[in-house]
Amino acid sequence: MDPSVKRPVSKNVSAKNMKENAMKEISLKLKRKQKKLKQSKNIVKKNSLKKKKSKQVIKNEMNGQAANMESSSSNNNQITVEQTTKIPKPPIIEEVPELVPAPKLEKQEVDSACSCSSSDGFEFTPVTTHSKEEGLKVFTWMLTPFDPNEFLKEIWEKKPLHIARKKPDYYKDVISTPVIDNMLRTENIQFTKNIDITSYVDGKRETHNPEGRANPHLSEIGEPVLEVVLEAGDMLYFPRGYIHQGVTIDGEHSLHVTISMYQKHAWADLLEKMIPAALQIAINENIEFREGLPLDIYDHFGLVHSDTNTPRKAEMEEIVKRLFNKIKDYLPIDEAVDQMNKKFQQDALPPVLSDFEKAVTVFGDSDVMIENGKVTNRVEIGLDTRIRLLRKNILRIVSEERIKLYYYAENALEYHGAELPFLEIEEDLAPAIETLITTYPEYVSVENLDIPSDSDKIQISDALWSRGLIMTEYPLETIDDE
């Protein structure tokens, strides 16, 4: 190497040092502020500029998210309504749900369950919960004391809602400063990818990452419709089209979690998938769509002719409207909804299993290969094995030239961290999947899957089991190779 050429400093080493220093600084700041009171000031603003600018902002909000719920930590419950906005009083629900952790098995019970041993007197209780009902419990807990049905009827996608509980510890198990500190210390947290270091000065956000960008200046959007200081344990909801900024009160510590939901889940998103497909079907099945354009169409349409009105132009406009109206006869609604659910499968986090669920799924299957290629603790599914889906929405059957089962059981914890997995099956095996979908949450014997061949019943069950898509009613008996 030419000694006159200076060796460049390694960017990786520099970035690593910067990351370590920044993480240390964050950790120290969190510890210093941990003993202070917890407050956060949240402002919700709705665009009130001119029509053209208003549409642009709301459009951006619709593309980005549909709604937000925020839980926060603070010690002040002042509410200021800047414009005439009715803040609804929450209808009290009779019974406040409690999020009780899933029952855990002791190690001895786990070993007993997974090995089907009854020597310790352990009796396994089958899992009978319904995933939608469990989800509703969480939703109800988030909204308490506001009734979920009233929320969906009166608040959802209509107006903001502030729920003041006077219970500082209500969300203590969701996130905390020590939990964040532990994540920074023990997990591989990447700047820009997983975390941003930001600051707000005069209403402007500055991101101190190389790829960060600033949010729009909220003072340009208009006066807020709601300004509220959240207490610890409070919740703030605001629908699509509202812009939100959280500001920490000087001298106080603030920690809040923002949950965005229903992203890309509007009628417009469904139509985006449906209309192009409907047009293609119409082109294939209706010869009118394949007829040539009028020879004089260029003489009547286009920028130059946009302000002119002629009988010939009106005649061609009617043809366009008539053809467009016929497209509705070819709308593939089922296929478009399947594609929407396919996106849900890709967006979803993998399921979190209780010890009881692990004992009756592949996640508790501890088969191990030992010497000479022998396998110990192997399990087998038989025709008399009773099975059900792990979750109601754990998979989706989609027809894309071949029949594919898309599922989220193997998704990465990082958003879109891996390709969406799928299982391709023959069309004559699809009725077996339909049986499991329609009978959920009940268990069904493998023998009763709606396909004729017993070997196919075992084959499809094994495929679903190995991917974590089904559970058995009781733990499977383990087998050791001889």
Side-chain angles (χ1 to χ4, degrees):
M1 179 177 179
D2 188 346
S4 64
V5 179
K6 293 184 178 180
R7 186 176 182 179
V9 177
S10 171
K11 291 185 178 181
N12 291 334
V13 174
S14 176
K16 181 179 180 181
N17 292 338
M18 290 175 62
K19 176 180 176 180
E20 290 178 351
N21 292 336
M23 291 178 68
K24 289 179 181 178
E25 183 178 349
I26 296 170
S27 179
L28 290 173
K29 287 182 178 179
L30 290 174
K31 287 184 176 180
R32 285 197 297 267
K33 292 184 177 182
Q34 189 174 351
K35 295 182 180 180
K36 293 184 178 181
L37 295 175
K38 300 176 179 179
Q39 289 186 320
S40 68
K41 184 178 182 182
N42 291 270
I43 301 172
V44 177
K45 293 191 175 185
K46 191 169 185 180
N47 195 332
S48 60
L49 289 182
K50 295 180 180 179
K51 183 176 181 181
K52 183 175 181 180
K53 192 166 185 180
S54 174
K55 285 185 177 180
Q56 181 64 38
V57 173
I58 293 177
K59 180 179 179 182
N60 290 341
E61 287 297 306
M62 289 179 67
N63 287 339
Q65 60 190 32
N68 287 276
M69 286 189 176
E70 180 166 303
S71 58
S72 179
S73 300
S74 67
N75 287 298
N76 195 324
N77 64 343
Q78 177 184 357
I79 298 178
T80 303
V81 181
E82 300 294 340
Q83 295 181 0
T84 304
T85 304
K86 184 178 180 181
I87 305 300
K89 294 182 179 180
I92 303 299
I93 56 179
E94 295 181 358
E95 183 178 353
V96 178
E98 293 185 5
L99 285 189
V100 180
K104 290 185 176 293
L105 298 175
E106 299 296 333
K107 184 180 186 305
Q108 185 178 9
E109 293 176 326
V110 173
D111 295 340
S112 176
C114 293
S115 64
C116 286
S117 171
S118 58
S119 59
D120 300 314
F122 172 72
E123 183 176 348
F124 187 86
T125 302
V127 177
T128 58
T129 54
H130 193 301
S131 58
K132 287 188 67 174
E133 294 174 356
E134 295 301 302
L136 181 58
K137 290 179 183 178
V138 176
F139 185 63
T140 303
W141 172 79
M142 289 178 64
L143 291 174
T144 298
F146 208 98
D147 182 81
N149 293 324
E150 288 295 321
F151 173 82
L152 294 174
K153 180 181 178 181
E154 303 293 340
I155 305 299
W156 175 251
E157 293 195 321
K158 295 182 179 69
K159 52 190 173 184
L161 170 68
H162 172 220
I163 297 178
R165 292 193 176 91
K166 302 293 185 181
K167 295 182 178 180
D169 294 335
Y170 195 80
Y171 292 119
K172 68 178 182 179
D173 294 328
V174 176
I175 194 70
S176 65
T177 303
V179 169
I180 295 176
D181 182 80
N182 183 65
M183 284 193 294
L184 292 172
R185 293 174 181 274
T186 60
E187 303 294 337
N188 183 20
I189 305 297
Q190 299 288 325
F191 284 108
T192 302
K193 183 178 182 180
N194 305 118
I195 189 171
D196 286 330
I197 308 300
T198 63
S199 63
Y200 283 89
V201 179
D202 296 330
K204 289 185 177 180
R205 167 177 163 166
E206 182 179 355
T207 303
H208 304 284
N209 294 343
E211 299 179 3
R213 68 176 186 180
N215 280 346
H217 198 306
L218 293 185
S219 62
E220 299 176 357
I221 298 176
E223 293 299 318
V225 297
L226 176 65
E227 184 172 344
V228 60
V229 177
L230 296 186
E231 291 185 5
D234 288 2
M235 191 203 76
L236 176 66
Y237 164 82
F238 46 95
R240 176 179 56 248
Y242 286 77
I243 296 175
H244 151 263
Q245 180 183 10
V247 180
T248 303
I249 296 176
D250 290 341
E252 304 297 343
H253 170 63
S254 170
L255 177 62
H256 67 263
V257 176
T258 301
I259 302 173
S260 180
M261 61 188 67
Y262 238 46
Q263 292 188 12
K264 295 286 188 178
H265 221 72
W267 286 109
D269 301 300
L270 179 62
L271 291 172
E272 280 184 343
K273 296 183 180 297
M274 192 187 309
I275 292 179
L279 177 59
Q280 190 59 52
I281 296 172
I283 291 172
N284 294 336
E285 298 186 5
N286 191 327
I287 194 172
E288 288 185 82
F289 287 87
R290 303 195 299 273
E291 292 177 354
L293 293 171
L295 295 177
D296 57 345
I297 191 170
Y298 300 132
D299 298 329
H300 297 276
F301 290 93
L303 180 61
V304 174
H305 307 288
S306 59
D307 294 329
T308 62
N309 294 300
T310 64
R312 178 57 177 158
K313 183 175 183 178
E315 180 183 347
M316 285 187 280
E317 284 179 343
E318 287 302 316
I319 295 175
V320 172
K321 292 177 181 178
R322 177 171 55 81
L323 290 174
F324 191 83
N325 190 52
K326 285 189 174 184
I327 292 177
K328 72 177 188 299
D329 297 330
Y330 302 95
L331 293 175
I333 302 178
D334 291 324
E335 291 82 353
V337 171
D338 281 340
Q339 290 298 320
M340 291 286 291
N341 190 272
K342 175 182 173 181
K343 183 181 182 301
F344 163 79
Q345 297 291 329
Q346 186 174 22
D347 293 345
L349 285 168
V352 178
L353 275 63
S354 67
D355 287 341
F356 278 89
E357 290 175 324
K358 290 178 182 178
V360 289
T361 62
V362 69
F363 303 104
D365 181 9
S366 56
D367 58 321
V368 178
M369 182 175 290
I370 56 178
E371 295 180 357
N372 301 322
K374 293 183 178 180
V375 178
T376 182
N377 286 342
R378 180 168 51 85
V379 297
E380 289 184 354
I381 290 179
L383 291 174
D384 59 345
T385 304
R386 288 169 57 81
I387 61 175
R388 74 168 201 174
L389 292 178
L390 181 65
R391 300 284 187 269
K392 179 176 175 58
N393 60 357
I394 195 66
L395 57 78
R396 189 75 176 191
I397 304 179
V398 181
S399 177
E400 296 174 333
E401 296 182 357
R402 300 288 299 274
I403 301 297
K404 295 180 180 179
L405 305 182
Y406 288 97
Y407 57 93
Y408 64 86
E410 298 176 359
N411 281 6
L413 293 177
E414 178 186 339
Y415 183 67
H416 290 184
E419 293 292 329
L420 176 63
F422 66 88
L423 173 63
E424 189 173 299
I425 65 173
E426 297 296 332
E427 187 173 352
D428 56 359
L429 296 181
I433 309 301
E434 294 177 12
T435 301
L436 293 171
I437 293 174
T438 55
T439 58
Y440 181 89
E442 302 299 325
Y443 290 91
V444 59
S445 297
V446 172
E447 185 178 15
N448 292 332
L449 295 180
D450 192 18
I451 50 179
S453 170
D454 287 347
S455 61
D456 286 343
K457 294 175 182 178
I458 297 294
Q459 179 185 359
I460 191 65
S461 299
D462 283 338
L464 297 174
W465 168 270
S466 65
R467 289 163 176 80
L469 304 179
I470 60 172
M471 65 171 66
T472 56
E473 188 171 21
Y474 293 95
L476 296 174
E477 184 177 356
T478 57
I479 303 172
D480 293 339
D481 290 346
E482 297 182 358

